[in-house]
Amino acid sequence: MNRRTILRGLGAASIVAVVAACVPMSEQEPDIVDIAASNDDFSTLVAAVQAAGLVDTLKGDGPFTVFAPTNAAFAALPAGTLDDLLKPENKASLTAILTYHVVPGAVTSDQLAGKRLNVETVEGSSVQVDGRTGVRVNNANVTAADIKASNGVIHVIDRVLLPPAG
């Protein structure tokens, strides 16, 4: 009788294991690049990230905080600037501009509230983040904050940030 109970238990466990194997695993949360690529308002940013060869980096483990300019932010650059930056011979300049939008670590807006900070970017220069009234980064406003990704957080900004000349 004891043996039957054990065999029934093993049989039930086998059935549970087979059923569990048939149930699809939940999909992993999308990363920064996946989120940007799924939003038409970031098509220019995605094209720039691809041209700079930064896709694999921004799909990496991170965590990263990305201040993501919209298509309108890129369109506000002086005429011809974006076209020039997307040329292969200007890849280093494009990379510098894009990495100036990235800060190591996942920083959410509640961590910035009421503070004014100079934060070093992946590019190596600092951006000024002002969370005292809304959130501003240099001269750009954060228009949507705290878009969570599997490898960090995205804050949408209304201007392209340009690193200091040097």
Side-chain angles (χ1 to χ4, degrees):
M1 184 145 140
N2 200 8
R3 193 180 321 179
R4 284 185 190 168
T5 304
I6 292 171
L7 289 175
R8 278 191 202 136
L10 288 174
S14 301
I15 292 170
V16 169
V18 168
V19 170
C22 294
V23 176
M25 294 177 60
S26 62
E27 291 188 27
Q28 183 181 0
E29 187 177 356
D31 60 41
I32 289 168
V33 175
D34 295 337
I35 290 172
S38 71
N39 185 328
D40 289 341
D41 207 25
F42 293 126
S43 61
T44 305
L45 175 62
V46 170
V49 166
Q50 290 170 337
L54 294 172
V55 171
D56 289 341
T57 300
L58 290 175
K59 285 180 115 4
D61 291 339
F64 305 108
T65 298
V66 175
F67 297 107
T70 61
N71 293 344
F74 279 102
L77 289 171
T81 302
L82 182 60
D83 291 335
D84 284 342
L85 286 170
L86 293 174
K87 292 178 180 174
E89 62 268 23
N90 295 324
K91 183 177 178 179
S93 295
L94 179 61
T95 300
I97 290 170
L98 293 174
T99 56
Y100 188 63
H101 289 78
V102 181
V103 174
V107 182
T108 56
S109 61
D110 62 326
Q111 295 170 302
L112 303 171
K115 298 177 184 171
R116 188 173 181 176
L117 308 164
N118 285 321
V119 182
E120 188 170 339
T121 67
V122 171
E123 179 267 342
S125 302
S126 293
V127 291
Q128 186 178 63
V129 179
D130 189 344
R132 294 176 298 176
T133 55
V135 178
R136 289 183 55 84
V137 182
N138 290 356
N139 61 347
N141 294 303
V142 173
T143 59
D146 303 329
I147 300 169
K148 302 263 188 334
S150 62
N151 61 344
V153 63
I154 300 169
H155 302 291
V156 181
I157 56 175
D158 62 358
R159 292 189 179 185
V160 175
L161 305 175
L162 299 175

